Amino acid sequence: MNLYLGIDFGTSGTRAVVIDAAGVIQAEAEYSFELVLGSTEALTSTAVVWKQALFTLIGKIPLQIRKEIKAIAFDGTSSTVVLCDATGQPITELLMYNDGRGVEVMEMVKAIAPPNHTVLSATSSLAKLLWLIQNTEFKIQNSYFLHQADWLAFLLHGQLGISDYHNALKLGYDVENFCYPDWLENLQISIHLPEIVAPGTPIANVLPEIANQLGLPRDCIVCAGTTDSIAAFIASGAMSPGEAVTSLGSTLVLKLLSHTRVDDARYGIYSHRLGDLWLVGGASNTGGAVLRHFFSDAELESLSCKIPVEKESPLEYYPLLKEGDRFPINDPHLPPNLEPRPADSVEFLHGLLESIARIEARGYRLLQQLGATQLTHVYTAGGGAKNPSWRAIRERQIGVPLLSPNQTAAAYGTALLAQGYTLGDIKPCT
């Protein structure tokens, strides 16, 4: 039996899904980890944690299943990046998807990139690259700039400096013409930008020593990956313009399948290529991480059941854990608004869920106002998809039906890429 492994790598955990040629799940595994960020000393620790998490996760898959895996693909958090040396060892601090220190180099980014470009964000991969160049004490000449999914794949196949055009979008890669634009090439920086291929493209076999260590076949191939939210979109089964997927994970990510491409850096809106269509959307820093800051999973479940979902909460928050958001307000200095906080925990949670739903609805309205295809219905992925009270609140706010996706795990969508799913499988309606 030929089996295919998709690995979803997040900020605090990773998940694996193994499917067969018919898309039926044959095995699943999860592994949680904790990163210590913010210092040079933490750099080695982070690399060790990621590698340990990856190898432990694969080891949790039954050996007989592992022996049948023919291809592997990864998804990672968009714009989580690092510089590596020629051996693939990280040499700079890991910058996470929501790291906003790129605000310090925004004038430089604006001078380089065209007006209104996707990279004109403090959290873009390009802003992080320029920040690293200016703030790294180590020798970075001839180093390699990698995204999270790129580096994890490298651990298996050993080919340094290869990425996919989904992860490379916020670096400035031109997904319409499949090349780096002249304005980026003309920077002439002494750092290797990744070679870009289509998501799902076979790259190389798993290294023999790694295959032996992990119990994988010698002919198991590693494919180019994607971002976590696009993997969730692929997993959902959405295939028609007007269909959208909201990922309710640590953050809030919106993806609307559209005939029309929309890019507007003023609002943190960008478009990924998906076959002959465009996946238009944005990512907000609000979401599940804010909820878990105040409530445990058990509390979220028990308190949500007590919310009168048919009534709109009068509390109007902008739930953030720290200053700054990316979409639908693109402002690295946007302050959190979590006041007033009622004594009743049910009221407080109601206000948080309602406010996040308002941000989601505002985001979809904005996408359509700027020319994206009209929204018809929304699938939901991520941990928040399991909350029926939140679903009812969101459906009231968004005003279109919320549907259950075929699969909710981003790792399933990545497994489809490993299986040979191509972005051309999604075609425009005629």
Side-chain angles (χ1 to χ4, degrees):
M1 182 184 295
N2 289 340
L3 301 178
Y4 307 91
L5 170 60
I7 297 177
D8 168 45
F9 226 90
T11 57
S12 60
T14 181
R15 182 174 183 181
V17 171
V18 181
I19 63 173
D20 62 20
V24 178
I25 296 176
Q26 299 296 317
E28 296 182 79
E30 294 185 30
Y31 182 77
S32 298
F33 55 84
E34 185 173 349
L35 296 179
V36 179
L37 302 171
S39 68
T40 305
E41 293 74 20
L43 177 62
T44 302
S45 172
T46 297
V48 170
V49 168
W50 274 9
K51 183 174 182 178
Q52 179 184 26
L54 172 60
F55 282 42
T56 302
L57 178 75
I58 295 176
K60 285 189 167 192
I61 300 168
L63 179 58
Q64 194 53 47
I65 296 288
R66 275 181 272 156
K67 289 180 178 179
E68 304 294 331
I69 294 174
K70 297 301 181 184
I72 302 171
F74 290 87
D75 72 72
T77 50
S78 177
S79 291
T80 293
V81 300
V82 67
L83 281 178
C84 296
D85 63 20
T87 69
Q89 181 66 31
I91 59 173
T92 65
E93 188 177 349
L94 168 74
L95 299 185
M96 297 300 292
Y97 67 94
N98 61 347
D99 192 304
R101 70 188 78 186
V103 68
E104 298 174 15
V105 296
M106 281 310 297
E107 290 305 314
M108 184 184 304
V109 177
K110 290 175 182 177
I112 294 168
N116 215 26
H117 196 279
T118 304
V119 299
L120 297 174
S121 166
T123 58
S124 73
S125 298
L126 181 60
K128 292 186 174 88
L129 172 60
L130 296 177
W131 187 91
L132 286 169
I133 291 173
Q134 286 199 349
N135 293 274
T136 301
E137 298 177 359
F138 301 103
K139 181 180 178 182
I140 60 175
Q141 285 77 13
N142 295 316
S143 59
Y144 289 79
F145 185 69
L146 299 180
H147 303 91
Q148 182 182 38
D150 311 338
W151 189 77
L152 292 165
F154 157 78
L155 293 178
L156 298 187
H157 60 53
Q159 304 294 311
L160 198 59
I162 301 175
S163 189
D164 62 273
Y165 62 63
H166 286 161
N167 272 295
L169 179 73
K170 296 178 185 177
L171 178 56
Y173 185 78
D174 183 346
V175 295
E176 193 148 15
N177 297 301
F178 301 112
C179 63
Y180 282 114
D182 290 342
W183 58 264
L184 189 53
E185 294 276 18
N186 291 340
L187 284 181
Q188 298 181 336
I189 56 177
S190 59
I191 291 173
H192 296 288
L193 298 183
E195 174 190 348
I196 307 301
V197 298
T201 299
I203 297 175
N205 287 354
V206 175
L207 293 168
E209 62 270 25
I210 301 297
N212 290 338
Q213 180 181 348
L214 297 177
L216 297 168
R218 289 291 189 98
D219 62 350
C220 178
I221 197 162
V222 182
C223 302
T226 185
T227 65
D228 51 353
S229 57
I230 295 181
F233 187 93
I234 293 171
S236 74
M239 298 190 75
S240 300
E243 294 183 321
V245 173
T246 295
S247 294
L248 293 175
S250 298
T251 59
L252 173 71
V253 184
L254 277 56
K255 300 290 185 187
L256 170 60
L257 196 58
S258 174
H259 288 289
T260 308
R261 180 178 183 176
V262 179
D263 293 287
D264 199 322
R266 294 175 300 169
Y267 306 107
I269 295 172
Y270 51 91
S271 294
H272 282 285
R273 192 181 192 113
L274 221 61
D276 295 325
L277 295 170
W278 296 96
L279 200 52
V280 182
S284 171
N285 292 336
T286 193
V290 180
L291 301 178
R292 286 191 173 88
H293 179 75
F294 295 104
F295 303 103
S296 67
D297 287 347
E299 288 171 330
L300 286 171
E301 184 175 354
S302 62
L303 294 173
S304 293
C305 296
K306 301 175 182 178
I307 292 175
V309 295
E310 69 283 355
K311 297 181 180 179
E312 182 167 2
S313 170
L315 297 170
E316 295 193 13
Y317 300 137
Y318 204 102
L320 298 171
L321 289 181
K322 62 180 182 179
E323 183 181 87
D325 201 10
R326 300 171 285 163
F327 165 83
I329 300 174
N330 187 12
D331 180 358
H333 303 296
L334 184 71
N337 177 14
L338 294 163
E339 298 291 340
R341 178 171 177 174
D344 188 324
S345 294
V346 174
E347 288 183 31
F348 183 48
L349 178 58
H350 188 183
L352 290 174
L353 296 180
E354 194 88 52
S355 296
I356 297 173
R358 291 186 187 115
I359 293 171
E360 180 183 3
R362 176 177 178 174
Y364 280 124
R365 286 195 302 270
L366 184 58
L367 296 181
Q368 295 166 92
Q369 289 168 5
L370 294 174
T373 299
Q374 184 175 354
L375 183 68
T376 58
H377 51 269
V378 176
Y379 296 94
T380 309
K386 302 173 185 176
N387 189 318
S389 296
W390 200 2
R391 176 185 176 126
I393 291 169
R394 292 173 53 236
E395 193 161 43
R396 171 165 47 74
Q397 285 287 346
I398 299 172
V400 300
L402 301 190
L403 304 181
S404 298
N406 291 347
Q407 297 287 338
T408 59
Y412 184 89
T414 313
L416 288 176
L417 280 180
Q419 182 206 57
Y421 172 101
T422 64
L423 305 180
D425 292 338
I426 295 179
K427 297 294 185 183
C429 293
T430 55

